[in-house]
Structures are given as C-alpha cells and as structure tokens.
Amino acid sequence: MVTEGNHEVEALPVLEFAPFVAYNARWRMPHEERSSRSNLYYSFDAAGGGAHVVMLGSYVDFEEGSEQHAWLERDLTGVDRQRTPWLVVLLHAPWYNNNQAHQEEGEAMRAAMERLLYEARVDVVFSGHVHAYERFTRIYDNEADSQGPMYITIGDGGNREGLALEFIKDHKSAHLSVFQEASFGHGRLRIVNETNAFWTWHRNNDAYATVHDEVWLESLASPKLVIATSGHHADEL
C-alpha cells in the first residue's frame, strides 16, 4: 500500500495537466472499499484485523469542510477499538519536524486534522518527505501528551537528492524529539498483540543493517501508557 508524495503531483500548470494522473493510473488503492471518493486517501485493516491503517493525502484539500477531512472523521469514528486496538496513520509531509529541510510544510494540515487524530486516540503517525529519521514522543498541539500519537519521520529510504543532514538544535519542537539521525535506513513496526507493538529503525549505511533506535508502544485503546527505550536490540528481528 502507498500514499502519494510531492513528486507524484506532476502538475504542469502551463499545459493545464491535471495532477496525479500517472500516480492514479499506476497505483490503484482500495479507496472505494472504504467509502473514499479519492484514490489519494483511503484506509485498510492489517495484522489480522488488529490494526486500522489510514493513508492521508498531504497534497489534496484537507481543510475543515473538505472531502478528505469529512472522510477522515467518518473513517476514524467507524473504528471499533475493542476489535481493532491499533490505529496507525501515514502521510507524506511531517507535522512535526526538527530538520532544516521542509520546515513547516505540514503545519497547515496539522492545524486542520490533528484534533481528529487525537480524539480518535491514534497510536502512531508515520511520515516521509524529509530525507532523514526522527522519532518524537507522544504529542498533541506542540506539547508532550501521553494520549496523543507518537510521530515518526521515516523519509530515509534512499533517493537521488541525498540526505537531509542538518537538524535545528533550538527548534521549538526540539524538546519533543527523542531520536534523530540523518542516515539511510528503514523501519519495521511489529504488532505483538492487542496491547503491545515494537518499532525498530535499521540504519543501513554500515556493512550490515543494524538497529539504532527502538521503542515499545502500548495501544491507546489500553489503559496503560507507552513504554519507550532506545539502543541496540539485535535479538528481536
């Protein structure tokens, strides 16, 4: 499953080309099954029905009153957390970002949609766009909040543009950032059961892929709070 990024827009205003033509022709996502009118945002269930995954469009109208905003509200409301304890969101442009690259590009979307994710008790939000890795604590409205989602930027899969090397040390969100590194890598979220999940980030610019960040999460459908650790944990994967 995929969601679109800025390179998929492909709009050429001079020639009046519509955006996302190639993307929509090549990447048909199951949006109709989730009552979405657009291939650019949709949702699906994973982990045997234990997780509901929401794919949002950073480059589609998202303001309150838009179709995407209304669809998101309906989709989140329809999740039964007793049957589906894990709620995961993916989007392209990060809402929280301490890297110099792409500063504030996700801010308008955050302002429009963050409340919906918070009220639905989304567990974790993954984003890309910034070519580096950064993990935040649980957040709501620029403050640490144990009932908010954990935010993870995992835009480091590799690209022709290179890495986003510089993080802003005195950024307003610096105190919310738990781990950051400008290296190529990949991540893995393993849902262990209805309460626990394990996230690992694998740094790839060594001779072997090694785990350089990890965190245990507890579902916000559970009364317990998140338990977080960092460090090497080679035996898990």
Side-chain angles (χ1 to χ4, degrees), residues 17-234:
F17 284 178
F20 300 111
V21 172
Y23 175 85
N24 284 327
R26 290 169 173 80
W27 300 95
R28 296 296 297 173
M29 297 296 106
H31 65 283
E32 295 173 341
E33 291 85 341
R34 291 294 181 174
S35 302
S36 169
R37 295 180 182 178
S38 173
N39 189 51
L40 303 176
Y41 51 87
Y42 62 97
S43 63
F44 61 94
D45 291 337
H52 186 69
V53 183
V54 180
M55 311 289 275
L56 296 179
S58 294
Y59 304 98
V60 191
D61 288 342
F62 47 70
E63 299 290 347
E64 188 170 358
S66 68
E67 176 57 34
Q68 182 175 196
H69 192 282
W71 172 83
L72 175 61
E73 187 168 16
R74 292 193 304 269
D75 189 76
L76 292 175
T77 301
V79 179
D80 181 354
R81 298 299 291 276
Q82 296 299 313
R83 298 180 59 184
T84 309
W86 290 97
L87 192 48
V88 179
V89 171
L90 287 85
L91 47 89
H92 190 68
W95 292 359
Y96 292 95
N97 172 30
N98 287 319
N99 197 287
Q100 285 188 355
H102 304 300
Q103 272 296 307
E104 302 293 327
E105 290 186 19
E107 177 58 21
M109 191 180 191
R110 183 197 69 80
M113 289 183 160
E114 186 178 27
R115 177 184 59 83
L116 297 180
L117 272 57
Y118 181 76
E119 292 178 351
R121 293 296 183 260
V122 168
D123 293 295
V124 59
V125 177
F126 293 102
S127 61
H129 200 35
V130 176
H131 300 160
Y133 173 73
E134 185 168 21
R135 175 168 61 85
F136 291 84
T137 188
R138 292 188 177 274
I139 304 173
Y140 177 61
D141 196 19
N142 291 290
E143 296 293 341
D145 191 314
S146 64
Q147 297 302 299
M150 179 178 292
Y151 287 84
I152 298 176
T153 300
I154 182 76
D156 57 333
N159 61 87
R160 65 184 181 182
E161 298 171 349
L163 291 165
L165 297 173
E166 300 296 328
F167 288 90
I168 304 172
K169 294 182 179 180
D170 59 349
H171 193 279
K172 65 180 181 180
S173 299
H175 66 292
L176 302 172
S177 182
V178 177
F179 189 101
Q180 51 188 226
E181 185 173 329
S183 298
F184 292 121
H186 68 277
R188 179 180 179 182
L189 178 66
R190 185 171 66 181
I191 294 177
V192 179
N193 53 41
E194 66 276 8
T195 303
N196 299 296
F198 189 58
W199 166 258
T200 50
W201 177 64
H202 302 247
R203 184 180 181 215
N204 284 3
N205 60 349
D206 299 310
Y208 302 96
T210 55
V211 176
H212 273 245
D213 184 39
E214 62 184 24
V215 60
W216 278 99
L217 297 95
E218 292 203 34
S219 168
L220 291 180
S222 166
K224 297 181 180 179
L225 299 179
V226 66
I227 301 175
T229 62
S230 290
H232 184 67
H233 201 113

